[in-house]
Amino acid sequence: MKIRLIGFWVRIAFLFLVRSGRTTAALSFMVVTAVAALIFLSALAVGVKDAMLRNTVGLFSGHITGYNLPVTTRTEELRAPGVESILKRIYVPGVLDHRGLTQPITLCGINPKQEAEVTAFEKKINQGRYPETGRNEILISSELMEIFNVGIGDKLQFSLRPGDKASVFSISGIYQSGLAGLGRGLTFCPLDTIPANNAPWSAALFLRSGVKATNTVNIYTQRFEKPTRFETWEEQMPDLRQLIDLEAISMVVVIFLVFGVVAIGIACSFVIFIIRNMREYGAMKAMGVTTPEMSLLIVIKVTLMNLMGCAAGMLIGVLAVEVVSQLGGIDLTTFTSHNRYFAVSGVLYPRLTAFSIWAPPLVSFVFSLFAAMWPAALVARKRVADILRWI
Amino acid sequence: MIALSHISKTFSSGRGQVNAVVDISMNIPTGSLTSIMGKSGSGKSTLLNCIGGLEKPDKGEITCFGTPIHHLTARQLSHFLRRNVGFVFQRGNLLSYLNVTDNIGLPLTLNGIGGEKRTHRIATLLTDIGLENAGKAMPHELSGGEIQRVSVARAVAHHPRLLLVDEPTANLDTASGTQVVQLMRNLGKERGCTMIMATHDLDITHNSDMLVELKDGQIICKEGQ
């Protein structure tokens, strides 16, 4: 096969596709719809992952949690590339007492203003508000509210151990997280009112989008000595990590299955199309077009058609993602309200990534090459005399 | 010279074994016009295909201008056809998605003839076939006679040594058929082609250098040379 003829075959294939407009359009339509649908689905899968992360990491814990930070450590010392917010928290275990009824709890000292700005936890406060800095106020869970049978404004006593001197707190709000790890015993008060505020503190670190938590943890590991330690959200929530990986694998399987079906569709359509025009292929062979050249021509035809379909599909898919995102996402709250990974919001915002944009057309391209093999083999196998006699 | 020596070709079909060509031997001089006559099913198209290398005979040898064509590999045969043979088919068989210019230019490109030379040769051929203004027309815009004229122009464009013509007038009215055959003869003669034409139409065989009549795959009459 002569290299100088490749441009000629590309031109012939292009003319074939352009001048067989309706057939090309019908065949391309399969590719266009598959690519567009899969770009949208992939973007939606990214949106689901984002929503799960936003709802779990963003609710309270952050992307990285720092433990046992010395009292002398300032929050500024935790500044690192990609770290967007640093929330200081002090956890003190103790006993909450109301008219002789006691409950073991963990009192968490927070900066209410920062918490409201950075986390989504405020959405979980279904009565009252965050405690105010400088005031002896606490935020309790709805479970504690029921146990103590208290409401907003009622007073509760907190002591480190039963019998110790108690601090009196007024209930400013009641929350219901819906999460097993974030309920019942966890009670919040302002940092400046927490007893034993000289205890080692914890940090919830929130990262900018796209920053790898493990990289930041490596920086902190070099900066701080034990017993201070840092954990990523993936270490804290391996189930969420697995769920995200599972979703990614499912999407890859879907992409391959869809394009498997589309490739078979393209191959079948092309075989029918080639049988219909077999006499022309016979004439070309009689003119001395070699089998590799004929196969190349068919591969170029399928590939060009696929490229045109992919370009249109990508445009439609990207536009669809942008439109849905701009119009406020897809609200699936009805289906996610009891799901802990969607504890704050069930609204999904499809988001485009390099994978979601390029994987469908790339897979389509590879599958189209396979799709071209059948019709190419059909033409290659037929002898000219048979073609001329047959049709 | 084209030499056929004891050519036989048998097909298997639902009706059993069909002897399409039976032990045919003949020599066709270079530059001559040979007409192969016979009724439908007499074996003339099979013989034509054997001479052009499109069909491999079960027995016998065919030598085209010194090349034993049935000893060629598929690739060698394609290159032989590309350089040395032009076909005119019964239905024209123009590529439906190429215009007249591109159809005529196809064998030129395949033979590496491009640029000015290609353009000039196509323009000359369009004038020769009386379609100088139809270069951009698509095959579906042409009449049957015009399609056959373009088909002839395409077959001779690369100056082949052998022009094989299979029932060129089968789908044409008498006037168009006569015109196409005349055109083919003129263009073939000008380029020194050896022409072999299979037809059942006796009217278009006059002026042939050799006339061969087939029946049941065998030569029953041979006139000239």
Side-chain angles (χ1 to χ4, degrees), chain B residues 5-206:
Chain B
S5 173
H6 304 290
I7 298 300
S8 292
K9 179 73 186 176
T10 305
F11 292 111
S12 297
S13 74
R15 290 180 291 178
Q17 296 274 319
V18 177
N19 296 318
V21 174
V22 182
D23 196 28
I24 289 182
S25 296
M26 62 178 172
N27 291 330
I28 300 168
T30 301
S32 65
L33 167 60
T34 301
S35 295
I36 303 170
M37 286 283 297
K39 290 179 181 171
S40 178
S42 60
K44 53 188 187 300
S45 290
T46 303
L47 182 59
L48 199 70
N49 287 340
C50 286
I51 296 169
L54 306 185
E55 197 87 72
K56 192 168 185 171
D58 300 327
K59 288 179 192 165
E61 293 279 330
I62 299 172
T63 308
C64 279
F65 313 112
T67 305
I69 57 169
H70 296 299
H71 291 159
L72 300 178
T73 62
R75 182 187 165 82
Q76 286 170 333
L77 181 63
S78 289
H79 287 288
F80 179 83
L81 291 174
R82 182 181 291 198
R83 288 191 201 104
N84 299 301
V85 184
F87 278 95
V88 177
F89 301 100
Q90 190 174 329
R91 297 186 200 170
N93 286 350
L94 299 183
L95 301 192
S96 57
Y97 49 89
L98 297 184
N99 62 24
V100 168
T101 300
D102 287 335
N103 262 294
I104 296 173
L106 189 61
L108 295 175
T109 309
L110 289 175
N111 283 286
I113 301 164
E116 275 295 304
K117 200 173 175 184
R118 181 179 185 273
T119 312
H120 176 72
R121 209 179 274 190
I122 292 169
T124 307
L125 279 165
L126 283 172
T127 308
D128 289 344
I129 63 173
L131 292 172
E132 50 271 71
N133 296 320
K136 289 185 176 169
M138 300 302 290
H140 65 85
E141 295 168 328
L142 304 176
S143 68
E146 286 171 333
I147 286 174
Q148 259 332 27
R149 276 144 64 193
V150 174
S151 178
V152 170
R154 184 179 68 178
V156 300
H158 56 300
H159 294 180
R161 297 170 79 184
L162 175 61
L163 183 61
L164 297 171
V165 188
D166 191 7
E167 300 279 12
T169 60
N171 296 325
L172 302 179
D173 57 75
T174 310
S176 301
T178 308
Q179 202 182 11
V180 165
V181 171
Q182 192 57 46
L183 175 73
M184 194 183 68
R185 276 181 188 152
N186 293 342
L187 292 176
K189 286 272 181 195
E190 277 171 25
R191 287 160 179 78
C193 288
T194 303
M195 289 180 279
I196 304 172
M197 176 170 67
T199 182
H200 63 272
D201 185 356
L202 187 62
D203 293 340
I204 64 168
T205 61
H206 59 87

Side-chain angles (χ1 to χ4, degrees), chain A residues 328-381:
Chain A
I330 301 169
D331 191 349
L332 296 178
T333 309
T334 312
F335 307 103
T336 59
S337 55
H338 294 290
N339 190 312
R340 65 195 183 100
Y341 298 112
F342 295 89
V344 182
S345 165
V347 180
L348 305 180
Y349 298 93
R351 181 167 68 86
L352 293 166
T353 59
F355 177 84
S356 62
I357 294 175
W358 290 108
L362 279 178
V363 174
S364 167
F365 180 76
V366 172
F367 273 75
S368 74
L369 291 181
F370 285 108
M373 282 182 183
W374 183 16
L378 185 77
V379 170
R381 226 178 36 237

Side-chain angles (χ1 to χ4, degrees), chain A residues 283-320:
Chain A
M284 288 176 86
K285 278 188 146 187
M287 277 189 268
V289 176
T290 61
T291 300
E293 285 171 337
M294 197 69 84
S295 303
L296 176 71
L297 177 64
I298 290 168
V299 168
I300 293 172
K301 282 177 184 176
V302 176
T303 305
L304 276 181
M305 190 202 69
N306 192 266
L307 285 178
M308 289 192 276
C310 282
M314 282 173 80
L315 189 68
I316 293 169
V318 169
L319 276 175

